[in-house]
């Protein structure tokens, strides 16, 4: 295997260690002794460990028969035979307790409008909407696509779908109509739940019109579209297909006040969530009901140290797994108060988030390094305007957090009092896998920490041999199944095997696709993806997806996309494009703009290349594989000191390097003339 980026050697040397305060440790749900006990228990009696927590944490309509059915690996099935309902676990049990009038969701908009829904209110809303879905003919196992802004109705739609045993698939509201269409074609939903639009950066952004666009040229017929009136604009409603949410919810024939929760089997899919891989098409990650719910609950308690008096804010959009697990299911199943914010961190001012923390007295904040870096760059004065003393715990997710951002988060936001948990996990893992526990372990800036109790992870070489040298990197694997693992890829069992299990077939390891190193304390240092997947602002984007989008443009013959390190977004997308014969290159800037917009239209703004470089040829091996590692060096402006002997045509490289130098010189010229 060739040298991979940041893979074999680790350049990051970070020795600082931060212990939780005595006060935090004393009050923590899990202290050091308890952590040791849990780890030992899981090692010695793995089944007993999971049985205990599954029985204790979940409300079952029918008890499961065994902990794990491993008769058909890698299709592991946890708690088979058990019957439960996720919405019952998130709502019904709380309204039968003192939590009935506790805030379930605190929602706020950019302009400061606030809505607070108690558990009782959320329960009624979900029941009514579940009945609406039933009246529209949605049944157990049917798919429901949710394409919504960050408003409470999005959570209502998810829980209502779960209540009737349907399978929801939330599509991020920032995705284009084309991206939505792909997901509709794959999931084949009976209904799409959307809104007229959402608010972002002070502007109303239409959503329903994108649904209409997606529905043109669809290979498949969606019966209904339910539209939440939110931005209050006139939009086109197709008779007999499109219905206003508010109309249905105020119609007593549709929205009766109680809906019996469907008792589903533990492994009945709760949802599908699409994520990017190294191949072109996004993969529909399928999650279970029982195992998924159990692990989101346990990690809420262990990692986020959640207590009844906490106000918990996970800033992720519900369109991502983080929003599913720690914006909706985890907090609600635990009876916690979860905050939902519709908007960007910097509007109307860069103090918006800190204003929210103070206004709602938020205790636990969970966000991504990209947001931390962006807010850090705007300066401390925005933070210092607000009283952030309510914050007692901070979390990070999505990509490795650089020590500088970690320190800023720790000192400026947490005032050196709040521990930081850096949680490593994936859409596929459903919940946290590697992290420190805030009251039990010390944190090291830049390291995620250790596998959670019950989770078994390791670093191995390409043969699957464990690497014991603390300075040597390798591949991150999960060596035992875990309850919140994906069930499969929707409609593609073979791909599920190929992507995650083929690589270490003989060992039975799950291959995560990340490079990592394990230090002498057993702490994991994640070194980023080893496949052709980019991580832009904490979101995975497949290089193939962007390349396909580019090639679908009439100018483009061939494209190669790589990531370049970026201070704010972690990675920025750089595209090398070979134009079709006869395309006039004189309109360079205009063409670049056109292509960037084209990608935005095809996938969404997060996939828009930051830079597009036109070239006559791409560096390829003799067998025709594009040598991306060389392009990465060029994109980053690095000297190429890698093996180029397999190149088919070495002159391509010189030309590209020359091209890049010229571009940089031009950029510098422009920059200095702008000053
Ligand atoms: C990939 C998964 C899980 C929610 C967010 C992203 C990277 C995630 C960390 C972390 C270093 C991280 C990995 C992983 N990643 N968390 N704490 N430290 N890297 O979910 O889109 O499924 O992406 O994000 O590369 O494989 P996702």
């Amino acid at each position: 295997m060739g040298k991979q980026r940041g893979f074999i050697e680790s350049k990051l040397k970070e020795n600082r260690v931060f212990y939780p305060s005595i006060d935090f440790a004393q009050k923590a749900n899990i202290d050091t002794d308890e952590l040791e006990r849990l780890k030992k228990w899981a090692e010695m009696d793995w089944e007993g460990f999971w049985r205990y927590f599954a029985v204790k944490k979940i409300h079952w309509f029918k008890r499961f028969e065994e902990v794990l059915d491993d008769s058909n690996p890698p299709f592991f099935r946890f708690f088979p035979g058990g019957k439960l309902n996720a919405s019952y676990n998130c709502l019904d049990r709380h309204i039968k307790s003192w939590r009935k009038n506790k805030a379930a969701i605190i929602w706020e908009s950019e302009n400061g409008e606030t809505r607070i829904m108690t558990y009782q209110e959320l329960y009624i809303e979900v029941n009514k909407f579940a009945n609406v879905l039933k009246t529209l003919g949605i049944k157990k196992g049917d798919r429901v696509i949710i394409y919504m802004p960050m408003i409470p109705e999005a959570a209502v739609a998810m829980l209502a779908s779960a209540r009737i045993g349907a399978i929801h698939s939330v599509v991020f509201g920032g995705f284009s109509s084309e991206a939505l269409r792909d997901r509709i074609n794959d999931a084949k939903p009976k209904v799409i739940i959307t809104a007229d639009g959402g608010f972002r950066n002070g502007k109303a952004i239409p959503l329903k019109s994108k649904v209409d666009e997606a529905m043109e040229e669809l290979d498949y017929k969606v019966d209904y579209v339910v539209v939440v009136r939110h931005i209050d604009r006139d939009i086109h409603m197709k008779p007999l297909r499109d219905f206003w949410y508010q109309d249905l919810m105020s119609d007593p024939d549709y929205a009766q006040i109680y809906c019996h929760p469907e008792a589903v089997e533990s492994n009945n899919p709760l949802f599908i969530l699409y994520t990017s891989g190294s191949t072109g098409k996004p993969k529909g990650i399928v999650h279970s009901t029982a195992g998924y719910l159990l692990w989101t609950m346990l990690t809420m308690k262990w990692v986020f140290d959640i207590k009844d008096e906490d106000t918990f804010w996970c800033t992720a959009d519900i369109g991502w797994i983080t929003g599913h697990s720690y914006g909706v299911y985890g907090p609600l199943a635990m009876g916690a108060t979860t905050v939902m914010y519709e908007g960007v961190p910097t509007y109307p001012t860069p103090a918006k988030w800190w204003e929210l923390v103070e206004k709602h007295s938020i205790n636990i904040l969970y966000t991504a390094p990209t947001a931390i870096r962006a807010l850090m760059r705007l300066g401390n004065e925005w933070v210092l305007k607000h009283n952030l003393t309510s914050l007692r715990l901070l979390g990070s997710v999505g990509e490795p957090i650089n020590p500088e951002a970690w320190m800023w988060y720790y000192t400026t936001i947490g005032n050196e009092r709040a521990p930081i948990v850096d949680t490593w996990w994936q859409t596929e893992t459903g919940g946290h896998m590697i992290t420190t526990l805030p009251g039990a372990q010390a944190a090291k800036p830049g390291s995620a920490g250790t596998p959670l109790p019950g989770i078994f992870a390791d670093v191995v070489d390409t043969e699957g041999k464990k690497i014991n040298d603390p300075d040597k990197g390798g591949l991150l694997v999960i060596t035992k199944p875990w309850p919140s693992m994906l069930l499969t890829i929707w409609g593609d069992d073979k791909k599920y095997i190929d992507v995650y299990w083929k690589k270490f077939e003989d060992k039975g390891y799950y291959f995560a696709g990340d490079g990592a190193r394990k230090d002498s304390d057993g702490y994991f240092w994640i070194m980023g993806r080893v496949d052709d997947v980019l991580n832009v602002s904490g979101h995975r984007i497949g290089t193939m997806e962007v390349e396909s989008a580019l090639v679908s443009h009439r100018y483009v013959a061939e494209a190669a996309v790589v990531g370049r390190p970026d201070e704010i977004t972690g990675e920025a997308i750089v595209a090398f494009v070979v134009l079709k014969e006869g395309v006039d290159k004189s309109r360079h800037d205009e063409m670049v703009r056109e292509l960037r917009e084209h990608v935005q239209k095809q996938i969404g703004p997060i996939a828009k290349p930051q830079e597009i470089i036109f070239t006559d040829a791409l560096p390829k091996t003799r067998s025709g594989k594009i040598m991306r590692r060389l392009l990465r060096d060029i994109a980053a402006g690095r000297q190429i000191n890698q093996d180029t002997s397999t190149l088919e045509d070495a002159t391509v490289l010189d030309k590209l390097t020359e091209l890049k130098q010229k571009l940089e010189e031009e950029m510098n010229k422009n920059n200095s003339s702008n000053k």
Side-chain angles (χ1 to χ4, degrees), residues 75 108 156 230 250 342 353 355 414 439 456 503-504 518 528 582:
F75 299 90
E108 181 153 337
V156 169
H230 179 54
S250 56
E342 184 193 7
W353 274 19
E355 192 186 308
F456 295 85
K503 196 166 183 83
F504 300 111
K518 208 165 86 174

Side-chain angles (χ1 to χ4, degrees), residues 54-94:
V55 170
K56 189 173 169 204
K57 286 284 159 196
I58 287 180
H59 176 277
W60 297 95
F61 295 133
K62 179 174 169 276
R63 266 283 287 279
F64 49 91
E65 284 143 19
E66 53 178 334
V67 168
L68 175 67
D69 171 3
D70 57 359
S71 59
N72 182 25
F75 299 90
F76 299 103
R77 297 298 177 250
F78 276 81
F79 317 118
K83 289 265 173 82
L84 76 162
N85 181 281
S87 99
Y88 187 98
N89 274 276
C90 289
L91 300 169
D92 302 46
R93 33 173 187 181
H94 305 314

Side-chain angles (χ1 to χ4, degrees), residues 112-127:
E113 188 193 337
T114 301
R115 269 172 74 188
I116 299 180
M117 274 175 115
T118 64
Y119 271 94
Q120 177 72 14
E121 286 169 324
L122 183 60
Y123 166 80
I124 298 280
E125 192 84 357
V126 168
N127 272 273

Side-chain angles (χ1 to χ4, degrees), residues 275 321-322 396-401 422-428 448 512 514 526 528-529 535 538-540:
T275 186
I321 189 70
T322 313
S396 172
V397 62
E399 56 176 310
I401 178 166
D422 176 359
T423 58
W424 179 87
W425 58 298
Q426 307 179 295
T427 305
E428 292 85 345
D514 280 355
I526 311 294
R529 304 287 309 179
N535 189 324
H539 300 301
R540 273 194 288 175

